[in-house]
Amino acid sequence: MSGTLVYKILSDHLTDGELTSSGEIGIRIDQTLTQDATGTTAFLLLEAMEITRVRTELSVSYVDHNLAQFGAENHNDHLYLQSIARKVGARHSRPGNGICHQVHFERFARPGATLLGSDSHTPTAGGMGMIAIGSGGLDVAVAMGGGAFYTTSPRVIGVRLKGELAPWVAAKDIILRLLSVLTTRGNVGCMVEYFGDGVASLPAPDRATCCNMGAELGVTASIFPSDERTREFLIAQGREKDFAPLSAEKSARYDRIAKRLNAQDDAGVIENIRRYCTDVEVTPPGADGLVDVSFGGVVIDLCDLEPLAACSPSPENVHSIAELTGRDVRQVLIGSCTNSSYQDLMLVAAALKGRTVHPNIELGIAPGSRQVLTMIGENGALADLIRAGARIVESGCGPCIGQGFSPADCALSLRTFNRNFAGRSGTKNDRVYLVSPASAVAAAITGEVTDPRELTERFDLPFPRIEMPGKFLIDDGMIQPPATEDEAVKIEVIRGETIVKPPSGRPIPHDLTGEVLLKVGDRITTDHITPAGALLKYRSNVPRYAEYVFNCFNEENKPTFAERALAVKKRGIAGVIVAGESYGQGSSREHAALCPMYLGIRTVIAKTIERIHQANLVNFAILPLTFSDGGAPAGGRRTDYDRIEQGDELKIDDVPGAIASADSITVRDITKGFEFTCKLLLGPRQRKILAAGGLLNYTRESK
Ligand code: MIC
Ligand code: SF4
């Protein structure tokens, strides 16, 4: 990765390790962000570590997720966050001020800096030429206290953009195209770096859209160079002083990327790799049907791009809008940290001006920030949206996290959001397609999936090219400044009774006996593990939230997962979860580790585990193991994953010995009478954390 922008920023911030292998590196964190759904736990953990003052250049606590306020829980959290942020020296963006990533991009993101956030879409700020990473709240708490953040020295995927987007084709279509090439799988430990002449044509908010959905690729961060478009945005935000030009060296070397794919199931992906990547090599399929694919980089010609949609249930299930045209749509939602910028909403308003939303469509719009909402309010665009029949939602996450606007059974919902995991909308049998604001508004007008490029001819609607305003409305009045150290002493932290101290981890027993409580398939998301939507309000009370762990797998009139886990815990043995590929995809929520830990889960054995979730498991002293046979052994024999069943009793001897130094560990399935090996791929620091019984204990011990 020498000469890349990623390399430059990381080497400026390196505190530990080397940037050459895929070993562990420590980096200094300049800025942090937290949001209310993860922030309460993050600040409680900060308190548990006895950190009384933040030591970063900037830490911001945002309230944007839980705004529904049914019951006292949400407001209790808001008041706690407002008081603790002020006391410890963080800023606090109050409810109504907007979605953390949108507001951070507008007001704080700066080229060349590092940002760590307790939300998986923190990489949005990469659109400003910074390294922005999502993680669990405990890691953010450590960074707030001045500690380094540890991650894998990344492989850098080079994405060259050529040309310019055609009218009605959008930044969202760029990232959807990339998802159709790289998929949501197998990109752990990578960062995406955009370069090429096409970059200059994209304004900063478009870059933010691309970096935002890098989270769906599963990469650690995505980054754009910082150039004149960046300066233009910063000037308009009254922050020119934050500008610094940054780009990769001409001689920059991007990494060669390797992926293992299924020749049959992934045929479309392999075709896309051949079409959009350079120096592609594909091996013939093995007996297991798998092929090894490798390539030098990705090239996307913006001129050739067409409007795309990611169909349910995965952001990688990408099709051209042309293929889907004519499908009946019932709901269109515009908003989320991906696509709710001023330019996005102005485009939608311009297209709807003087029209009424199609009778079949329910249209909801959640502007990304108070800045956006106020500006469209003042220039009349909001009135155009309201007149067209749009239902305006407050600036926040809202429907993106299943808080309202759940669609009817099986009704097609087109959203400008970033995730369409089954059930995330709050409707079990939902059908959510992820699209650009242009494609969304086209459906809002016609009532069916429509290529927005047709709007010009069919509705005599010229493409409304939205220019970046020379000056955004600047009003940070809803961002509470931190207290001075003197003032801080007098501040009393408000702790509502629904806020419960999170449990801390314990060292894993020497010989671990456990029962497989659940065996799940591929792509289990953190939404499956710890459901969001209406249940988000229990985030500050782990025992209560834990009742809903794996709720989607519970069957009527049968003990729930939580009940079974607690019964096993009572017997003095551990709970084990067995999973397929990409376990723990999606959000950064550490509750997906913290709640299982509370229920007595001591190990997860999966084919692969996603980056943020793996780190969260380690932070809460849950052993993350991956099957050594990769879920695909040679010779066609049954995989270890296939042989294990729910209810099996497993035994692992000398866990501390393995944690100390081994890269593999033997697991015995006592019930079935066979042994298998698992990989224990951890850096030296993660091994110490596990041995200490979690990051909280480790941090206390190393003080
Ligand atoms: C999400 O989009 O799933 C969330 C809600 O923003 C999560 C954070 C959380 O679970 O609180 C994320 O993406 O990290
Ligand atoms: Fe909020 Fe949705 Fe963005 Fe998560 S993805 S931060 S829920 S807007």
Side-chain angles (χ1 to χ4, degrees):
M1 63 162 139
S2 91
T4 64
L5 185 48
V6 164
Y7 180 87
K8 281 190 187 177
I9 301 179
L10 288 181
S11 52
D12 276 355
H13 289 82
L14 201 65
T15 59
D16 252 321
E18 275 180 52
L19 282 168
T20 45
S21 55
S22 350
E24 199 176 37
I25 51 166
I27 53 169
R28 181 168 44 78
I29 296 299
D30 300 318
Q31 306 184 345
T32 67
L33 74 76
T34 50
Q35 40 87 340
D36 53 308
T38 54
T40 315
T41 312
F43 278 96
L44 287 168
L45 293 167
L46 184 91
E47 290 190 273
M49 286 187 283
E50 291 164 14
I51 297 168
T52 53
R53 217 48 208 166
V54 301
R55 299 224 193 94
T56 48
E57 137 196 326
L58 173 96
S59 286
V60 193
S61 143
Y62 292 91
V63 176
D64 54 359
H65 278 64
N66 284 323
L67 305 178
Q69 297 183 213
F70 290 109
E73 291 89 347
N74 297 166
H75 200 204
N76 280 340
D77 287 352
H78 303 170
L79 295 178
Y80 167 73
L81 288 170
Q82 183 168 15
S83 54
I84 187 78
R86 188 153 160 75
K87 192 173 179 73
V88 300
R91 283 164 211 248
H92 180 76
S93 171
R94 293 163 59 194
N97 200 42
I99 305 174
C100 56
H101 310 302
Q102 174 70 25
V103 178
H104 205 88
F105 198 77
E106 291 167 358
R107 306 304 307 139
F108 302 115
R110 72 168 175 86
T114 53
L115 165 70
L116 189 71
S118 62
D119 191 283
S120 64
H121 290 102
T122 303
T124 309
M128 192 70 79
M130 70 191 292
I131 299 243
I133 303 177
S135 76
L138 187 47
D139 285 318
V140 176
V142 169
M144 279 196 263
F149 174 67
Y150 287 81
T151 188
T152 310
S153 175
R155 298 179 67 70
V156 185
I157 306 176
V159 177
R160 183 149 77 89
L161 301 180
K162 289 180 11 184
E164 242 180 87
L165 290 172
W168 300 106
V169 184
K172 181 68 152 275
D173 301 314
I174 304 177
I175 184 63
L176 290 179
R177 172 52 71 223
L178 197 56
L179 273 153
S180 78
V181 175
L182 296 177
T183 76
T184 57
R185 300 158 282 147
N187 304 314
V188 175
C190 296
M191 291 194 187
V192 166
E193 182 167 316
Y194 293 89
F195 67 102
D197 63 68
V199 165
S201 67
L202 297 173
D206 279 1
R207 300 175 184 186
T209 297
C210 295
C211 291
N212 174 277
M213 282 191 80
E216 277 51 70
L217 294 169
V219 297
T220 310
S222 300
I223 192 165
F224 271 84
S226 166
D227 56 12
E228 281 312 305
R229 305 307 301 264
T230 319
R231 188 205 292 267
E232 175 190 32
F233 182 80
L234 285 170
I235 290 176
Q237 290 287 352
R239 303 202 282 125
E240 191 181 6
K241 62 168 183 11
D242 286 340
F243 177 71
L246 278 175
S247 59
E249 305 288 323
K250 284 231 156 47
S251 60
R253 278 263 163 76
Y254 294 94
D255 285 297
R256 193 165 175 82
I257 303 301
K259 287 179 101 62
R260 194 148 241 240
L261 295 167
N262 188 300
Q264 233 170 21
D265 302 348
D266 292 317
V269 176
I270 298 168
E271 201 184 305
N272 284 340
I273 291 179
R274 289 191 195 278
R275 181 154 171 214
Y276 295 101
C277 298
T278 54
D279 304 326
V280 180
E281 280 174 24
V282 182
T283 63
D288 47 19
L290 297 180
V291 291
D292 285 307
V293 182
S294 66
F295 50 89
V298 185
V299 182
I300 299 179
D301 189 340
L302 303 182
C303 312
D304 291 347
L305 206 59
E306 58 181 326
L308 299 168
C311 301
S312 47
S314 169
E316 71 169 54
N317 188 11
V318 175
H319 295 268
S320 74
I321 290 274
E323 276 174 73
L324 309 166
T325 297
R327 293 192 185 183
D328 263 349
V329 179
R330 291 288 169 171
Q331 186 186 58
V332 172
L333 296 183
I334 293 163
S336 92
C337 53
T338 317
N339 274 126
S340 58
S341 67
Y342 172 82
Q343 278 99 318
D344 286 340
L345 264 56
M346 286 302 292
L347 178 115
V348 172
L352 284 176
K353 192 178 168 78
R355 292 170 216 280
T356 307
V357 168
H358 189 276
N360 286 355
I361 299 286
E362 158 177 273
L363 172 66
I365 300 183
S369 68
R370 195 170 62 100
Q371 182 183 76
V372 174
L373 181 56
T374 315
M375 285 178 73
I376 62 169
E378 286 179 357
N379 70 13
L382 180 61
D384 294 334
L385 293 172
I386 296 171
R387 282 189 73 169
R391 293 167 59 190
I392 306 298
V393 187
E394 68 178 307
S395 287
C397 299
C400 177
I401 191 60
Q403 307 233 345
F405 277 87
S406 298
D409 291 306
C410 303
L412 185 51
S413 174
L414 256 58
R415 302 175 166 211
T416 65
F417 305 170
N418 47 40
R419 286 186 176 144
N420 56 356
F421 306 144
R424 181 173 163 98
S425 67
T427 299
K428 254 196 168 163
N429 47 6
D430 58 8
R431 286 166 67 216
V432 172
Y433 291 4
L434 309 172
V435 297
S436 71
S439 301
V441 77
I445 294 172
T446 62
E448 55 188 36
V449 179
T450 303
D451 188 325
R453 292 172 298 186
E454 287 176 18
L455 290 177
T456 303
E457 216 176 285
R458 271 176 70 185
F459 295 89
D460 192 20
L461 181 59
F463 175 61
R465 194 172 291 282
I466 310 294
E467 295 302 333
M468 163 101 61
K471 197 162 175 36
F472 286 97
L473 174 103
I474 296 154
D475 170 7
D476 291 332
M478 286 290 281
I479 302 179
Q480 170 192 273
T484 62
E485 292 205 31
D486 286 347
E487 288 164 350
V489 190
K490 293 178 225 135
I491 293 174
E492 210 164 298
V493 177
I494 304 172
R495 291 172 210 277
E497 58 188 54
T498 52
I499 298 176
V500 175
K501 203 168 149 205
S504 43
R506 286 171 298 128
I508 301 167
H510 189 273
D511 297 321
L512 189 142
T513 306
E515 178 178 320
V516 178
L517 284 168
L518 190 68
K519 180 176 165 183
V520 288
D522 292 343
R523 288 188 233 162
I524 291 298
T525 71
T526 49
D527 283 1
H528 292 107
I529 308 171
T530 38
L535 299 173
L536 266 184
K537 70 176 188 178
Y538 298 127
R539 281 286 179 86
S540 308
N541 182 345
V542 169
R544 181 82 174 87
Y545 196 32
E547 290 170 24
Y548 300 99
V549 168
F550 287 121
N551 204 22
C552 55
F553 297 114
N554 288 335
E555 290 173 55
E556 235 173 277
N557 302 324
K558 292 211 177 138
T560 62
F561 175 86
E563 286 163 347
R564 292 191 294 112
L566 288 174
V568 164
K569 188 177 173 188
K570 222 169 168 186
R571 279 169 42 210
I573 63 169
V576 179
I577 293 162
V578 172
E581 301 276 1
S582 291
Y583 181 72
Q585 278 197 352
S587 102
S588 68
R589 70 190 69 145
E590 59 203 333
H591 293 78
L594 188 50
C595 293
M597 175 194 84
Y598 170 79
L599 296 174
I601 309 303
R602 303 313 311 258
T603 182
V604 167
I605 311 178
K607 291 183 187 169
T608 54
I609 306 178
E610 288 300 301
R611 174 190 69 88
I612 304 181
H613 188 60
Q614 151 126 351
N616 284 335
L617 290 173
V618 170
N619 286 351
F620 292 99
I622 297 178
L623 197 61
L625 302 179
T626 48
F627 290 102
S628 293
D629 67 9
R637 78 166 171 85
R638 285 177 79 212
T639 63
D640 296 329
Y641 168 84
D642 289 337
R643 293 163 87 192
I644 303 177
E645 279 176 307
Q646 184 171 317
D648 284 4
E649 193 163 301
L650 307 183
K651 193 146 194 294
I652 310 176
D653 295 328
D654 189 16
V655 179
I659 290 176
S661 56
D663 287 340
S664 68
I665 194 165
T666 305
V667 182
R668 272 183 292 143
D669 186 324
I670 311 276
T671 313
K672 297 270 160 47
F674 74 99
E675 265 185 18
F676 57 99
T677 52
C678 285
K679 288 187 263 182
L680 184 59
L681 299 177
L682 301 168
R685 181 174 171 272
Q686 288 197 310
R687 291 177 188 277
K688 288 188 200 145
I689 293 173
L690 268 180
L695 180 57
L696 199 57
N697 296 338
Y698 173 75
T699 311
R700 281 199 200 110
E701 280 169 19
S702 32
K703 260 194 172 179

